Amino acid sequence: QVTVRRYRLSHCYIVMARVSILVVLLVEFCSDFATAQTAHLQDDPVANFDNVQLWQCTEGYRQQWEMMHNGYPNNNIALKSDGKVLDILGYSNDTGANLQVFSKTGTPWNQQFMYNDTSMTIVSLMNGKCAEAANSGNISGTNIQMAPCSGAGNQKFVYNNTDMTLRYSFNQTLCLDAGTAVNCTIAPLNTYPYCDYTLDADTRVRDLVPRMTLEEKVQNMQHRNPGIPRLGVPIFRFAECLHGVRSGCGNASNGSTGCPTSFPSALGLGATFNTSLWLEAGRTVSTEARALNNQGVTGQAFWAPDVNLFRDPRWGRGQEVPGEDPYLTSEYVAHYSSG
C-alpha cells in the first residue's frame, strides 16, 4: 500500500510516499519544475550541494579539478571554473557519507583533502578516509562516498594534468563530476510516468517505487540521503526550524543581513498564549526557508514544530515544546504549521 502526503513550504510542494512502514522520499516538484529541469541541461553554474559522482568524461567545467595543497586550511580539491571544493556532506565521519561541492567557507575540516599521486586516492584530512565509487559502480551517476582506505580499485582516480580530470581507474571514460544531472528531460526518463509532472502524485509514486532497488529505498530513508542519481531523483535535504531556520546566512541585500530570524524557544513562544504571533512566526520561517534554500544554504523540509507535551522536566528538552497543556500545544502546532 502506498500513501501520499504533501507538506507545504512556501510555494514548493514535497511529495513523500510511505511503502508499508517505510517512509521513502520520492519526488520533489515545484511550480517551475519544467523550466528548472530544462535549465539544468544548459551551462548553468555549479551550485552548492551539487552531488559528486562518476560521469562520462566531457572535460567540461564540472570535471576540471585543481589540486590546492598549500597547508591547512588550504588543502582543497577545487573546481577550476568557480573554486567550489570537495566537501563531505553534513560534516560526517560516517562510512558512506556522500561527497558534494560547496563554496570554500572558512576553515572547515570536511573540505580538507589531499590527492595522493602514488596510491591515486583522494584522502580526507578530517578522518583519513578515501573517496570511492559507491558499490564499485561503473556507470554514469554512481555516487562518490567516503570509506576506510583499502587500496581497492573503486578508490583510485587517475589525475590527468593536461585536461585536469580525475578519471576512474576501473573505467577511464568516467570522470569525477560535480552535478551533471540525469533528469526528467532526457531519455529514457522522459518516457516514465513518474517524470510526468502533469500526473497525480499517487500515479507517479506507484511508477517510481518499483524502479528503486531495496538499497536505494533504505538509503533514502535517512537524514543524509543520497537521492537516486540514475533515476534523476535529487538529494532531499532536511533542516530544523523549531524557532527559526537553523542554518548559516544567505546573501545580504536591501538592508537585510541575509541571516535567518531566531525567535524565542518554543517554550517561550508558547508562554505568550498569542496565536497570531505563532502564525506570523511560522510565516516568517517559511519565507526565510525558501529564500535560503534558493541560495543553496539550507534544505527543503524542516523538523518543526515538536508536538510532544512537557510532562516531566527530567526529559531535558522542554525548551523545544510549547508547554504541558494538550490544548495549548494543539493550538500552537496548528498556527505555527499553518504559517
Side-chain angles (χ1 to χ4, degrees):
Q1 179 184 1
V2 178
T3 60
V4 176
R5 296 175 179 178
R6 295 189 182 189
Y7 298 88
R8 186 173 191 273
L9 173 59
S10 187
H11 65 277
C12 184
Y13 288 83
I14 309 303
V15 177
M16 303 186 76
R18 187 179 66 204
V19 185
S20 299
I21 61 170
L22 302 180
V23 180
V24 183
L25 167 72
L26 297 178
V27 185
E28 176 191 2
F29 65 98
C30 299
S31 56
D32 57 353
F33 178 89
T35 302
Q37 290 282 30
T38 302
H40 206 105
L41 290 179
Q42 302 168 358
D43 286 345
D44 55 325
V46 179
N48 286 338
F49 300 117
D50 272 355
N51 194 48
V52 176
Q53 61 192 353
L54 295 179
W55 199 263
Q56 194 70 31
C57 294
T58 63
E59 301 172 20
Y61 67 103
R62 293 179 181 271
Q63 296 180 355
Q64 293 182 314
W65 303 91
E66 292 184 308
M67 305 299 163
M68 304 172 66
H69 300 334
N70 303 312
Y72 180 81
N74 298 308
N75 290 312
N76 306 113
I77 297 178
L79 285 170
K80 178 185 176 183
S81 60
D82 67 359
K84 287 186 174 66
V85 300
L86 291 184
D87 179 291
I88 300 176
L89 176 63
Y91 222 101
S92 175
N93 281 307
D94 296 343
T95 294
N98 283 339
L99 273 185
Q100 60 184 11
V101 287
F102 206 88
S103 299
K104 183 171 167 51
T105 53
T107 59
W109 275 100
N110 67 326
Q111 295 183 347
Q112 302 296 301
F113 288 89
M114 291 288 287
Y115 177 74
N116 187 313
D117 290 291
T118 303
S119 63
M120 297 185 295
T121 54
I122 299 168
V123 183
S124 167
L125 299 184
M126 180 174 75
N127 54 34
K129 292 181 178 177
C130 287
E132 69 172 24
N135 305 312
S136 298
N138 195 23
I139 59 173
S140 287
T142 298
N143 276 348
I144 303 299
Q145 62 185 24
M146 302 306 298
C149 297
S150 65
N154 68 326
Q155 294 184 350
K156 296 182 183 293
F157 299 87
V158 181
Y159 186 60
N160 186 314
N161 287 290
T162 302
D163 60 25
M164 305 180 74
T165 58
L166 280 160
R167 294 176 180 259
Y168 188 40
S169 67
F170 277 161
N171 179 357
Q172 292 195 33
T173 67
L174 296 175
C175 287
L176 200 71
D177 177 281
T180 298
V182 176
N183 62 61
C184 285
T185 66
I186 61 177
L189 274 61
N190 58 4
T191 65
Y192 296 160
Y194 78 83
C195 276
D196 185 351
Y197 68 96
T198 66
L199 297 177
D200 63 274
D202 186 70
T203 300
R204 298 174 69 195
V205 167
R206 289 180 183 276
D207 178 68
L208 178 56
V209 170
R211 300 180 191 275
M212 299 168 65
T213 65
L214 177 61
E215 181 178 67
E216 288 169 341
K217 292 173 184 176
V218 173
Q219 287 178 334
N220 283 280
M221 289 170 59
Q222 61 181 317
H223 176 77
R224 297 189 180 99
N225 62 82
I228 313 172
R230 69 181 184 88
L231 295 177
V233 177
I235 293 173
F236 188 78
R237 304 188 186 282
F238 291 86
E240 181 192 306
C241 62
L242 274 172
H243 56 96
V245 180
R246 185 175 181 270
S247 76
C249 297
N251 298 326
S253 63
N254 299 324
S256 167
T257 63
C259 300
T261 304
S262 180
F263 293 96
S265 67
L267 190 61
L269 288 172
T272 67
F273 294 90
N274 188 330
T275 56
S276 60
L277 175 64
W278 303 336
L279 183 69
E280 286 304 313
R283 285 174 177 166
T284 300
V285 167
S286 67
T287 300
E288 293 181 352
R290 169 52 55 199
L292 291 164
N293 176 255
N294 288 343
Q295 296 175 47
V297 176
T298 191
Q300 297 120 311
F302 296 80
W303 305 113
D306 189 330
V307 301
N308 288 294
L309 299 179
F310 194 1
R311 297 181 182 276
D312 189 324
R314 291 174 297 178
W315 176 36
R317 307 196 71 158
Q319 74 278 5
E320 296 183 356
V321 299
E324 63 184 355
D325 181 71
Y327 179 75
L328 170 71
T329 298
S330 65
E331 287 293 300
Y332 177 86
V333 169
H335 286 82
Y336 192 85
S337 300
S338 295

